[in-house]
PDB file of all heavy atoms in Angstrom:
ATOM      1  N   SER A 577      12.549 -13.936   2.616  1.00 92.00           N
ATOM      2  CA  SER A 577      13.847 -14.271   3.175  1.00 92.00           C
ATOM      3  C   SER A 577      14.216 -13.424   4.317  1.00 92.00           C
ATOM      4  O   SER A 577      14.453 -12.262   4.195  1.00 92.00           O
ATOM      5  CB  SER A 577      14.881 -14.150   1.963  1.00 92.00           C
ATOM      6  OG  SER A 577      16.185 -14.017   2.587  1.00 92.00           O
ATOM      7  N   TRP A 578      14.300 -14.031   5.466  1.00 93.00           N
ATOM      8  CA  TRP A 578      14.722 -13.344   6.652  1.00 93.00           C
ATOM      9  C   TRP A 578      16.058 -12.664   6.496  1.00 93.00           C
ATOM     10  O   TRP A 578      16.232 -11.454   6.832  1.00 93.00           O
ATOM     11  CB  TRP A 578      14.826 -14.218   7.862  1.00 93.00           C
ATOM     12  CG  TRP A 578      13.526 -14.789   8.423  1.00 93.00           C
ATOM     13  CD1 TRP A 578      13.066 -16.059   8.446  1.00 93.00           C
ATOM     14  CD2 TRP A 578      12.440 -14.007   8.933  1.00 93.00           C
ATOM     15  NE1 TRP A 578      11.790 -16.144   8.978  1.00 93.00           N
ATOM     16  CE2 TRP A 578      11.376 -14.919   9.331  1.00 93.00           C
ATOM     17  CE3 TRP A 578      12.253 -12.613   9.181  1.00 93.00           C
ATOM     18  CZ2 TRP A 578      10.180 -14.478   9.858  1.00 93.00           C
ATOM     19  CZ3 TRP A 578      11.058 -12.227   9.760  1.00 93.00           C
ATOM     20  CH2 TRP A 578      10.069 -13.122  10.104  1.00 93.00           C
ATOM     21  N   ASP A 579      17.012 -13.382   6.024  1.00 94.00           N
ATOM     22  CA  ASP A 579      18.358 -12.765   5.907  1.00 94.00           C
ATOM     23  C   ASP A 579      18.401 -11.574   5.060  1.00 94.00           C
ATOM     24  O   ASP A 579      18.997 -10.557   5.297  1.00 94.00           O
ATOM     25  CB  ASP A 579      19.366 -13.856   5.414  1.00 94.00           C
ATOM     26  CG  ASP A 579      19.624 -14.905   6.413  1.00 94.00           C
ATOM     27  OD1 ASP A 579      19.260 -14.617   7.611  1.00 94.00           O
ATOM     28  OD2 ASP A 579      20.051 -16.018   6.107  1.00 94.00           O
ATOM     29  N   LYS A 580      17.695 -11.676   3.913  1.00 94.00           N
ATOM     30  CA  LYS A 580      17.689 -10.538   2.998  1.00 94.00           C
ATOM     31  C   LYS A 580      16.964  -9.339   3.616  1.00 94.00           C
ATOM     32  O   LYS A 580      17.484  -8.223   3.539  1.00 94.00           O
ATOM     33  CB  LYS A 580      17.048 -10.996   1.673  1.00 94.00           C
ATOM     34  CG  LYS A 580      17.666 -10.383   0.506  1.00 94.00           C
ATOM     35  CD  LYS A 580      17.144 -11.144  -0.738  1.00 94.00           C
ATOM     36  CE  LYS A 580      16.614 -10.191  -1.756  1.00 94.00           C
ATOM     37  NZ  LYS A 580      15.828 -10.824  -2.752  1.00 94.00           N
ATOM     38  N   MET A 581      15.755  -9.542   4.103  1.00 95.00           N
ATOM     39  CA  MET A 581      15.013  -8.413   4.579  1.00 95.00           C
ATOM     40  C   MET A 581      15.597  -7.744   5.806  1.00 95.00           C
ATOM     41  O   MET A 581      15.371  -6.568   6.052  1.00 95.00           O
ATOM     42  CB  MET A 581      13.530  -8.826   4.779  1.00 95.00           C
ATOM     43  CG  MET A 581      13.239  -9.545   6.083  1.00 95.00           C
ATOM     44  SD  MET A 581      11.536  -9.873   6.268  1.00 95.00           S
ATOM     45  CE  MET A 581      11.194 -11.118   5.063  1.00 95.00           C
ATOM     46  N   LEU A 582      16.335  -8.493   6.572  1.00 96.00           N
ATOM     47  CA  LEU A 582      16.891  -7.894   7.823  1.00 96.00           C
ATOM     48  C   LEU A 582      18.376  -7.397   7.623  1.00 96.00           C
ATOM     49  O   LEU A 582      18.972  -6.965   8.583  1.00 96.00           O
ATOM     50  CB  LEU A 582      16.833  -8.906   8.965  1.00 96.00           C
ATOM     51  CG  LEU A 582      15.391  -9.077   9.529  1.00 96.00           C
ATOM     52  CD1 LEU A 582      15.327 -10.327  10.354  1.00 96.00           C
ATOM     53  CD2 LEU A 582      15.080  -7.895  10.435  1.00 96.00           C
ATOM     54  N   SER A 583      18.858  -7.551   6.443  1.00 95.00           N
ATOM     55  CA  SER A 583      20.202  -7.129   6.234  1.00 95.00           C
ATOM     56  C   SER A 583      20.382  -5.588   6.355  1.00 95.00           C
ATOM     57  O   SER A 583      19.486  -4.837   5.878  1.00 95.00           O
ATOM     58  CB  SER A 583      20.671  -7.574   4.855  1.00 95.00           C
ATOM     59  OG  SER A 583      21.851  -6.923   4.496  1.00 95.00           O
ATOM     60  N   LEU A 584      21.507  -5.160   6.869  1.00 94.00           N
ATOM     61  CA  LEU A 584      21.791  -3.713   6.998  1.00 94.00           C
ATOM     62  C   LEU A 584      22.290  -3.153   5.660  1.00 94.00           C
ATOM     63  O   LEU A 584      22.533  -1.987   5.516  1.00 94.00           O
ATOM     64  CB  LEU A 584      22.766  -3.450   8.126  1.00 94.00           C
ATOM     65  CG  LEU A 584      22.148  -3.562   9.534  1.00 94.00           C
ATOM     66  CD1 LEU A 584      23.249  -3.780  10.526  1.00 94.00           C
ATOM     67  CD2 LEU A 584      21.331  -2.314   9.843  1.00 94.00           C
ATOM     68  N   GLN A 585      22.563  -4.109   4.689  1.00 94.00           N
ATOM     69  CA  GLN A 585      23.012  -3.596   3.373  1.00 94.00           C
ATOM     70  C   GLN A 585      21.877  -3.953   2.369  1.00 94.00           C
ATOM     71  O   GLN A 585      21.210  -4.943   2.519  1.00 94.00           O
ATOM     72  CB  GLN A 585      24.230  -4.457   2.914  1.00 94.00           C
ATOM     73  CG  GLN A 585      25.376  -4.422   3.914  1.00 94.00           C
ATOM     74  CD  GLN A 585      25.871  -2.995   4.210  1.00 94.00           C
ATOM     75  OE1 GLN A 585      25.788  -2.139   3.425  1.00 94.00           O
ATOM     76  NE2 GLN A 585      26.278  -2.871   5.485  1.00 94.00           N
ATOM     77  N   GLY A 586      21.844  -3.100   1.327  1.00 94.00           N
ATOM     78  CA  GLY A 586      20.939  -3.448   0.261  1.00 94.00           C
ATOM     79  C   GLY A 586      19.572  -2.729   0.417  1.00 94.00           C
ATOM     80  O   GLY A 586      19.392  -1.964   1.382  1.00 94.00           O
ATOM     81  N   ASN A 587      18.661  -3.088  -0.400  1.00 96.00           N
ATOM     82  CA  ASN A 587      17.339  -2.386  -0.463  1.00 96.00           C
ATOM     83  C   ASN A 587      16.414  -2.990   0.613  1.00 96.00           C
ATOM     84  O   ASN A 587      15.529  -3.685   0.294  1.00 96.00           O
ATOM     85  CB  ASN A 587      16.763  -2.582  -1.862  1.00 96.00           C
ATOM     86  CG  ASN A 587      15.585  -1.681  -2.108  1.00 96.00           C
ATOM     87  OD1 ASN A 587      15.221  -0.835  -1.272  1.00 96.00           O
ATOM     88  ND2 ASN A 587      14.909  -1.805  -3.223  1.00 96.00           N
ATOM     89  N   THR A 588      16.668  -2.555   1.864  1.00 97.00           N
ATOM     90  CA  THR A 588      15.926  -3.111   3.000  1.00 97.00           C
ATOM     91  C   THR A 588      15.531  -1.972   3.938  1.00 97.00           C
ATOM     92  O   THR A 588      16.154  -0.870   3.897  1.00 97.00           O
ATOM     93  CB  THR A 588      16.832  -4.087   3.810  1.00 97.00           C
ATOM     94  OG1 THR A 588      17.875  -3.250   4.461  1.00 97.00           O
ATOM     95  CG2 THR A 588      17.406  -5.184   2.981  1.00 97.00           C
ATOM     96  N   ALA A 589      14.568  -2.250   4.818  1.00 98.00           N
ATOM     97  CA  ALA A 589      14.159  -1.249   5.808  1.00 98.00           C
ATOM     98  C   ALA A 589      15.332  -0.971   6.743  1.00 98.00           C
ATOM     99  O   ALA A 589      15.620   0.213   7.058  1.00 98.00           O
ATOM    100  CB  ALA A 589      12.941  -1.755   6.593  1.00 98.00           C
ATOM    101  N   PRO A 590      16.035  -1.988   7.251  1.00 97.00           N
ATOM    102  CA  PRO A 590      17.077  -1.643   8.234  1.00 97.00           C
ATOM    103  C   PRO A 590      18.176  -0.746   7.589  1.00 97.00           C
ATOM    104  O   PRO A 590      18.724   0.080   8.240  1.00 97.00           O
ATOM    105  CB  PRO A 590      17.722  -3.031   8.596  1.00 97.00           C
ATOM    106  CG  PRO A 590      16.569  -3.990   8.354  1.00 97.00           C
ATOM    107  CD  PRO A 590      15.775  -3.465   7.247  1.00 97.00           C
ATOM    108  N   TYR A 591      18.437  -0.949   6.333  1.00 97.00           N
ATOM    109  CA  TYR A 591      19.428  -0.079   5.616  1.00 97.00           C
ATOM    110  C   TYR A 591      18.899   1.383   5.685  1.00 97.00           C
ATOM    111  O   TYR A 591      19.662   2.319   5.999  1.00 97.00           O
ATOM    112  CB  TYR A 591      19.574  -0.533   4.202  1.00 97.00           C
ATOM    113  CG  TYR A 591      20.431   0.484   3.404  1.00 97.00           C
ATOM    114  CD1 TYR A 591      21.804   0.528   3.396  1.00 97.00           C
ATOM    115  CD2 TYR A 591      19.811   1.333   2.467  1.00 97.00           C
ATOM    116  CE1 TYR A 591      22.560   1.413   2.649  1.00 97.00           C
ATOM    117  CE2 TYR A 591      20.487   2.254   1.698  1.00 97.00           C
ATOM    118  CZ  TYR A 591      21.882   2.280   1.753  1.00 97.00           C
ATOM    119  OH  TYR A 591      22.573   3.115   1.031  1.00 97.00           O
ATOM    120  N   LEU A 592      17.661   1.629   5.340  1.00 98.00           N
ATOM    121  CA  LEU A 592      17.131   2.937   5.294  1.00 98.00           C
ATOM    122  C   LEU A 592      16.994   3.511   6.750  1.00 98.00           C
ATOM    123  O   LEU A 592      17.317   4.746   6.971  1.00 98.00           O
ATOM    124  CB  LEU A 592      15.730   2.939   4.641  1.00 98.00           C
ATOM    125  CG  LEU A 592      15.743   2.607   3.197  1.00 98.00           C
ATOM    126  CD1 LEU A 592      14.290   2.490   2.619  1.00 98.00           C
ATOM    127  CD2 LEU A 592      16.517   3.650   2.378  1.00 98.00           C
ATOM    128  N   GLN A 593      16.615   2.714   7.662  1.00 98.00           N
ATOM    129  CA  GLN A 593      16.497   3.217   9.056  1.00 98.00           C
ATOM    130  C   GLN A 593      17.884   3.588   9.585  1.00 98.00           C
ATOM    131  O   GLN A 593      17.979   4.550  10.281  1.00 98.00           O
ATOM    132  CB  GLN A 593      15.870   2.103   9.944  1.00 98.00           C
ATOM    133  CG  GLN A 593      14.353   1.870   9.621  1.00 98.00           C
ATOM    134  CD  GLN A 593      13.798   0.623  10.143  1.00 98.00           C
ATOM    135  OE1 GLN A 593      14.432  -0.356  10.236  1.00 98.00           O
ATOM    136  NE2 GLN A 593      12.494   0.662  10.521  1.00 98.00           N
ATOM    137  N   ASN A 594      18.878   2.799   9.197  1.00 96.00           N
ATOM    138  CA  ASN A 594      20.223   3.062   9.618  1.00 96.00           C
ATOM    139  C   ASN A 594      20.761   4.404   9.012  1.00 96.00           C
ATOM    140  O   ASN A 594      21.445   5.178   9.608  1.00 96.00           O
ATOM    141  CB  ASN A 594      21.147   1.954   9.229  1.00 96.00           C
ATOM    142  CG  ASN A 594      22.449   2.010   9.904  1.00 96.00           C
ATOM    143  OD1 ASN A 594      22.547   2.441  11.076  1.00 96.00           O
ATOM    144  ND2 ASN A 594      23.499   1.508   9.284  1.00 96.00           N
ATOM    145  N   ALA A 595      20.384   4.612   7.711  1.00 96.00           N
ATOM    146  CA  ALA A 595      20.820   5.884   7.088  1.00 96.00           C
ATOM    147  C   ALA A 595      20.153   7.071   7.821  1.00 96.00           C
ATOM    148  O   ALA A 595      20.802   8.103   8.010  1.00 96.00           O
ATOM    149  CB  ALA A 595      20.340   5.870   5.610  1.00 96.00           C
ATOM    150  N   TYR A 596      18.937   6.911   8.258  1.00 97.00           N
ATOM    151  CA  TYR A 596      18.220   7.916   9.026  1.00 97.00           C
ATOM    152  C   TYR A 596      19.002   8.214  10.304  1.00 97.00           C
ATOM    153  O   TYR A 596      19.311   9.344  10.657  1.00 97.00           O
ATOM    154  CB  TYR A 596      16.759   7.561   9.248  1.00 97.00           C
ATOM    155  CG  TYR A 596      16.058   8.530  10.139  1.00 97.00           C
ATOM    156  CD1 TYR A 596      15.544   9.687   9.583  1.00 97.00           C
ATOM    157  CD2 TYR A 596      15.887   8.363  11.502  1.00 97.00           C
ATOM    158  CE1 TYR A 596      14.845  10.647  10.345  1.00 97.00           C
ATOM    159  CE2 TYR A 596      15.291   9.215  12.291  1.00 97.00           C
ATOM    160  CZ  TYR A 596      14.743  10.378  11.709  1.00 97.00           C
ATOM    161  OH  TYR A 596      14.090  11.309  12.482  1.00 97.00           O
ATOM    162  N   VAL A 597      19.246   7.122  10.988  1.00 96.00           N
ATOM    163  CA  VAL A 597      19.930   7.262  12.346  1.00 96.00           C
ATOM    164  C   VAL A 597      21.317   7.934  12.197  1.00 96.00           C
ATOM    165  O   VAL A 597      21.677   8.850  12.975  1.00 96.00           O
ATOM    166  CB  VAL A 597      20.102   5.867  12.947  1.00 96.00           C
ATOM    167  CG1 VAL A 597      21.048   5.888  14.193  1.00 96.00           C
ATOM    168  CG2 VAL A 597      18.732   5.311  13.411  1.00 96.00           C
ATOM    169  N   ARG A 598      22.012   7.502  11.160  1.00 94.00           N
ATOM    170  CA  ARG A 598      23.354   8.087  10.859  1.00 94.00           C
ATOM    171  C   ARG A 598      23.222   9.580  10.662  1.00 94.00           C
ATOM    172  O   ARG A 598      24.078  10.329  11.176  1.00 94.00           O
ATOM    173  CB  ARG A 598      23.802   7.439   9.613  1.00 94.00           C
ATOM    174  CG  ARG A 598      25.270   6.997   9.608  1.00 94.00           C
ATOM    175  CD  ARG A 598      25.529   6.201   8.438  1.00 94.00           C
ATOM    176  NE  ARG A 598      26.940   6.111   8.204  1.00 94.00           N
ATOM    177  CZ  ARG A 598      27.490   5.592   7.101  1.00 94.00           C
ATOM    178  NH1 ARG A 598      26.732   5.164   6.119  1.00 94.00           N
ATOM    179  NH2 ARG A 598      28.779   5.506   7.005  1.00 94.00           N
ATOM    180  N   CYS A 599      22.269   9.948   9.835  1.00 96.00           N
ATOM    181  CA  CYS A 599      22.085  11.352   9.551  1.00 96.00           C
ATOM    182  C   CYS A 599      21.692  12.178  10.831  1.00 96.00           C
ATOM    183  O   CYS A 599      22.196  13.235  11.071  1.00 96.00           O
ATOM    184  CB  CYS A 599      21.022  11.505   8.439  1.00 96.00           C
ATOM    185  SG  CYS A 599      20.876  13.190   7.900  1.00 96.00           S
ATOM    186  N   ARG A 600      20.744  11.609  11.552  1.00 95.00           N
ATOM    187  CA  ARG A 600      20.307  12.315  12.771  1.00 95.00           C
ATOM    188  C   ARG A 600      21.449  12.484  13.810  1.00 95.00           C
ATOM    189  O   ARG A 600      21.442  13.390  14.617  1.00 95.00           O
ATOM    190  CB  ARG A 600      19.105  11.629  13.443  1.00 95.00           C
ATOM    191  CG  ARG A 600      17.783  11.674  12.643  1.00 95.00           C
ATOM    192  CD  ARG A 600      17.430  12.962  12.061  1.00 95.00           C
ATOM    193  NE  ARG A 600      17.296  14.001  13.003  1.00 95.00           N
ATOM    194  CZ  ARG A 600      17.226  15.332  12.743  1.00 95.00           C
ATOM    195  NH1 ARG A 600      17.196  15.721  11.467  1.00 95.00           N
ATOM    196  NH2 ARG A 600      17.083  16.280  13.661  1.00 95.00           N
ATOM    197  N   SER A 601      22.397  11.532  13.747  1.00 93.00           N
ATOM    198  CA  SER A 601      23.417  11.580  14.835  1.00 93.00           C
ATOM    199  C   SER A 601      24.272  12.821  14.659  1.00 93.00           C
ATOM    200  O   SER A 601      24.828  13.340  15.609  1.00 93.00           O
ATOM    201  CB  SER A 601      24.262  10.274  14.790  1.00 93.00           C
ATOM    202  OG  SER A 601      25.058  10.380  13.655  1.00 93.00           O
ATOM    203  N   ILE A 602      24.295  13.335  13.396  1.00 92.00           N
ATOM    204  CA  ILE A 602      25.044  14.627  13.153  1.00 92.00           C
ATOM    205  C   ILE A 602      24.447  15.744  14.017  1.00 92.00           C
ATOM    206  O   ILE A 602      25.119  16.510  14.627  1.00 92.00           O
ATOM    207  CB  ILE A 602      24.986  15.004  11.658  1.00 92.00           C
ATOM    208  CG1 ILE A 602      25.651  13.890  10.837  1.00 92.00           C
ATOM    209  CG2 ILE A 602      25.676  16.373  11.424  1.00 92.00           C
ATOM    210  CD1 ILE A 602      25.486  14.143   9.279  1.00 92.00           C
TER     211      ILE A 602
END
Side-chain angles (χ1 to χ4, degrees):
S577 157
W578 287 119
D579 290 343
K580 216 164 129 196
M581 77 176 74
L582 283 163
S583 166
L584 285 159
Q585 305 304 328
N587 191 6
T588 65
Y591 170 80
L592 293 176
Q593 289 164 327
N594 194 32
Y596 176 81
V597 168
R598 223 170 163 190
C599 184
R600 293 314 302 169
S601 72
I602 299 173

